[in-house]
Amino acid sequence: MIPNPINPNDFPIGISDFREVIEGKCIFVDKTLFIKEIMDNKAKVILLTRPRRFGKTLNMSMLECFLKQGEKDLFVGLNIKDHAEFCAKHQNHYPVIFLTFKDVKYDDFDTAYSDIKGIFASLYVKNRNLLEGDLLDESEREFFQDIRFGRIDDHSKLGHALKKLTEFMHRKYKTPPIVLLDEYDTPIQEAYIQGYYDKIIPFMRVLLGSALKDNSDLGKAIITGITKVSQESMFSGLNNIESYSVLDGKYGQYFGFTEDEVISLLPPEIKIEPIREWYNGYQIGPWKIYNPWSILSCLKRNGALDAYWRNTSTNALIFKLAKDAGPQFKEKLENLVQNIPQQQLIENGMTFGYLDKNTNAIWTLLLHAGYLNVLSHKYTSLGIDAQIAIPNKEVMEVYAKIIQLWFAKEGEDFTSYLKMTGALTTGDVKTFENEISGFIKMTASHFDFDKNTPEKVFHAFMMGILMGLRDTYLIDSNKEAGHGRADLLLIPRTQGKQGIILEFKVSKKKSDLESIAQIALSQIQTQDYTSKFPEGMPILCIGISFYKKHMKAVSIVLG
């Protein structure tokens, strides 16, 4: 329900409860036909993976409100009501078990386990009517009360809490219940970050395996998450699960906003072009899908463009993995931040235990977490061969942060990094040279510098270092300028700043560093690289030479 005109105060930022959205008369982009499509799918277990903040929890809450017995009808005037026969058959006809793990984010296994225990305690309290009469025998009643009051430290026993609840509810209502499990993989991701992955996986395998595999008391299960944890790690032997990710067109339009929906939300004074630049959508099947969190946050602030999504919790895992990634990862990322699409093998499922050893797994996580867009893909025997790109400026800000982390010296935060970029932009080339030399010596584990290192590796290194200047400079890499291609052009985004050109050369000997740097500087002038800048702008031209972990910079100001 999108009113005209739109009051920005009615955007439901951070509200994921469907009842609250509808009863609070918040602006609601109608996704109710998702209910029909999901119920028409004959699969017993459906896994839907989407990035954080793409409306998964709201959709699950919507499913609960529509399907659960005894619920108030909140769907009057919504699209689903156009399907009267379907509504008569399914609306408020099922017992429903709805639980979410989206907040299970803790430093240790015991605390995470305790929180999951609390989630099931609350679930059993809500269904305490199952204790009435003689529905449960003595041992079942004891089990129920132990879960209800949190008197259970046996991991295996709690692992069967979901399965037992489906059994009890089926017996009570004569209809097998529908299970809605939201953000199932949040505890797994957090466990990987905090170092207790090996403890959480056996518990989650029992919890999901017992409830979803060969469970005659289960009517249907819909599960959401960011990633599909591999069959071997989590869903071993579970052959009745159908999964749909950002690589599948099915259900593509129901998580996030389509471009038409975004346009319908824009007031006349806000144009779609800057929205595209900052939040340009992900191609999912035939739909271009925008992150709803970013769009609503932007519109609530009268169109203010900012990286609203960069503080999502997944970033901690991304930063952890990218910080220690090898040179091949960094070279490919350097191409991506220059808007050069890359071919990459994407895996069908995540095995978190191998993330730090498998570069393909890192790219797989980046894709499913929303940090990449897939331009095209095909399935192969080895996995999914995908052409990947960075989707928009907002996500580019996350990569800029990652790259800055590569070059933040231990214990110094970003002080040294800011000193280096500040020296470059003020023309203090000697300080710039000293700081870059320090970064080279510090980053041996990130870039393998030796006498055979090709120029493109140094190029990637420098491009990465300068990513932090993207807000104040347009950074062009290998762009045609004058009579050739300049390595890096930094074109000021505002008047009053000088432009910067950097040209790189590799030296065969340390003693030749000065002369090779002078050749690089001369090339800037002879190839007329300054022609890319506005007439009259002063331009700092820097020739840089590298030999192993040594460098030399020479400069001149032109214009």
Side-chain angles (χ1 to χ4, degrees):
M1 294 179 289
I2 303 175
N4 187 15
I6 289 174
N7 182 350
N9 291 323
D10 291 336
F11 286 124
I13 305 290
I15 302 175
S16 55
D17 186 316
F18 181 77
R19 298 174 190 82
E20 188 175 349
V21 169
I22 298 302
E23 292 179 344
K25 301 187 184 307
C26 298
I27 293 169
F28 176 66
V29 176
D30 194 334
K31 303 287 184 179
T32 55
L33 291 182
F34 170 65
I35 302 168
K36 184 176 188 304
E37 287 203 27
I38 210 77
M39 293 304 292
D40 285 346
N41 188 329
K42 302 304 181 186
K44 191 165 185 176
V45 182
I46 298 172
L47 171 62
L48 301 156
T49 58
R50 291 295 186 275
R52 211 65 92 200
R53 311 278 195 184
F54 264 65
K56 297 189 295 295
T57 304
L58 179 60
N59 275 353
M60 295 289 263
S61 176
M62 179 179 72
L63 278 170
E64 180 190 31
C65 288
F66 184 87
L67 298 171
K68 189 175 181 180
Q69 295 173 346
E71 286 288 322
K72 177 182 177 182
D73 187 356
L74 300 172
F75 295 84
V76 176
L78 297 178
N79 291 338
I80 193 66
K81 285 295 188 177
D82 293 338
H83 299 268
E85 185 178 344
F86 173 85
C87 291
K89 181 179 179 181
H90 294 285
Q91 188 170 9
N92 306 135
H93 278 220
Y94 302 90
V96 174
I97 301 170
F98 178 35
L99 64 162
T100 180
F101 289 158
K102 66 184 178 70
D103 296 320
V104 184
K105 305 170 187 175
Y106 297 99
D107 295 343
D108 60 271
F109 173 75
D110 290 341
T111 309
Y113 176 81
S114 179
D115 192 31
I116 294 172
K117 185 165 63 173
I119 290 170
F120 276 101
S122 297
L123 194 58
Y124 272 58
V125 168
K126 288 180 182 177
N127 290 281
R128 59 187 177 273
N129 64 319
L130 296 172
L131 293 168
E132 297 171 359
D134 58 359
L135 182 75
L136 308 183
D137 64 26
E138 186 176 343
S139 64
E140 291 170 335
R141 185 177 293 272
E142 180 182 355
F143 177 91
F144 193 105
Q145 295 289 47
D146 285 345
I147 300 293
R148 176 188 177 190
F149 292 109
R151 300 191 302 245
I152 186 164
D153 293 317
D154 183 331
H155 297 170
S156 177
K157 196 171 183 181
L158 183 62
H160 286 83
L162 184 56
K163 180 184 186 304
K164 296 297 288 184
L165 190 57
T166 65
E167 179 185 340
F168 300 156
M169 293 180 77
H170 187 190
R171 195 184 304 169
K172 169 76 173 179
Y173 299 105
K174 313 302 181 189
T175 300
I178 292 175
V179 171
L180 306 174
L181 174 54
D182 181 50
E183 302 285 11
Y184 86 100
D185 58 340
T186 296
I188 300 167
Q189 285 197 33
E190 201 66 25
Y192 176 80
I193 295 171
Q194 302 298 341
Y196 58 92
Y197 175 82
D198 289 342
K199 291 184 178 180
I200 199 81
I201 277 291
F203 169 73
M204 294 294 289
R205 188 184 294 125
V206 172
L207 177 69
L208 297 183
S210 64
L212 305 179
K213 181 183 176 184
D214 301 326
N215 182 4
S216 60
D217 295 303
L218 174 67
K220 194 181 194 73
I222 298 98
I223 307 168
T224 69
I226 293 176
T227 60
K228 177 185 177 182
V229 179
S230 69
Q231 293 280 122
E232 295 77 11
S233 299
M234 180 67 64
F235 299 111
S236 179
L238 189 62
N239 298 319
N240 63 334
I241 185 169
E242 287 192 8
S243 60
Y244 302 92
S245 73
V246 292
L247 295 173
D248 300 293
K250 196 171 180 64
Y251 309 118
Q253 74 273 41
Y254 295 122
F255 294 87
F257 297 154
T258 65
E259 184 156 286
D260 286 344
E261 288 168 343
V262 171
I263 291 171
S264 73
L265 293 170
L266 298 182
E269 65 272 16
I270 298 178
K271 305 304 179 185
I272 188 62
E273 287 75 17
I275 299 292
R276 283 199 191 108
E277 180 185 359
W278 267 86
Y279 312 113
N280 192 25
Y282 303 79
Q283 197 64 40
I284 304 178
W287 294 280
K288 182 180 286 187
I289 300 295
Y290 287 71
N291 180 341
W293 175 268
S294 301
I295 295 298
L296 295 183
S297 297
C298 171
L299 297 183
K300 189 150 189 171
R301 291 161 180 80
N302 299 312
L305 301 167
D306 200 355
Y308 297 107
W309 192 63
R310 66 183 165 195
N311 294 321
T312 59
S313 58
T314 317
N315 287 355
L317 178 54
I318 299 302
F319 291 157
K320 171 183 171 67
L321 294 169
K323 187 175 187 298
D324 299 321
Q328 287 185 335
F329 176 89
K330 291 176 168 61
E331 183 181 343
K332 188 164 284 190
L333 183 57
E334 190 264 349
N335 285 325
L336 287 170
V337 299
Q338 295 179 70
N339 296 315
I340 302 172
Q342 300 291 291
Q343 288 298 129
Q344 177 58 47
L345 192 68
I346 301 298
E347 300 187 347
N348 287 309
M350 291 295 307
T351 304
F352 281 87
Y354 296 102
L355 264 177
D356 56 348
K357 305 176 185 69
N358 184 348
T359 303
N360 289 345
I362 299 176
W363 290 111
T364 300
L365 178 63
L366 286 170
L367 168 65
H368 291 291
Y371 297 90
L372 295 170
N373 187 25
V374 171
L375 305 180
S376 63
H377 69 281
K378 61 182 179 181
Y379 290 87
T380 73
S381 59
L382 297 176
I384 302 164
D385 183 17
Q387 186 182 51
I388 57 175
I390 295 175
N392 53 50
K393 185 174 180 178
E394 181 181 43
V395 176
M396 187 73 78
E397 296 294 311
V398 176
Y399 286 110
K401 179 74 171 179
I402 288 171
I403 291 171
Q404 289 173 34
L405 285 173
W406 290 345
F407 305 110
K409 293 182 180 178
E410 194 72 30
E412 291 189 22
D413 195 22
F414 291 107
T415 304
S416 183
Y417 181 85
L418 294 174
K419 183 179 179 181
M420 180 275 299
T421 54
L424 176 64
T425 56
T426 57
D428 184 355
V429 175
K430 186 60 180 176
T431 299
F432 174 71
E433 178 188 291
N434 290 338
E435 291 300 318
I436 292 290
S437 297
F439 285 127
I440 289 176
K441 292 178 174 63
M442 186 233 347
T443 57
S445 62
H446 301 315
F447 291 89
D448 297 326
F449 296 130
D450 59 33
K451 65 180 181 180
N452 297 314
T453 301
E455 185 179 307
K456 67 179 182 178
V457 174
F458 290 108
H459 191 146
F461 173 78
M462 292 300 300
M463 180 69 182
I465 279 183
L466 299 179
M467 275 292 292
L469 296 174
R470 289 183 69 89
D471 283 344
T472 50
Y473 291 87
L474 173 65
I475 302 177
D476 278 344
S477 175
N478 282 320
K479 276 292 181 70
E480 288 189 9
H483 306 298
R485 291 181 180 272
D487 283 334
L488 283 177
L489 301 176
L490 278 69
I491 303 172
R493 294 184 183 275
T494 57
Q495 293 183 347
K497 292 180 179 292
Q498 67 179 4
I500 303 170
I501 301 175
L502 298 102
E503 186 67 25
F504 314 123
K505 299 288 182 187
V506 173
S507 176
K508 294 182 184 295
K509 295 188 295 185
K510 182 179 178 182
S511 58
D512 290 343
L513 281 171
E514 176 89 30
S515 61
I516 298 299
Q518 289 290 350
I519 291 173
L521 181 62
S522 177
Q523 182 175 320
I524 293 174
Q525 300 174 76
T526 59
Q527 296 296 313
D528 195 24
Y529 292 159
T530 58
S531 63
K532 289 287 288 185
F533 294 83
E535 186 175 350
M537 175 181 285
I539 302 164
L540 174 63
C541 305
I542 305 175
I544 298 176
S545 60
F546 297 95
Y547 173 73
K548 294 184 178 180
K549 295 193 175 186
H550 304 280
M551 71 159 286
K552 182 66 181 176
V554 296
S555 65
I556 188 173
V557 177
L558 301 176

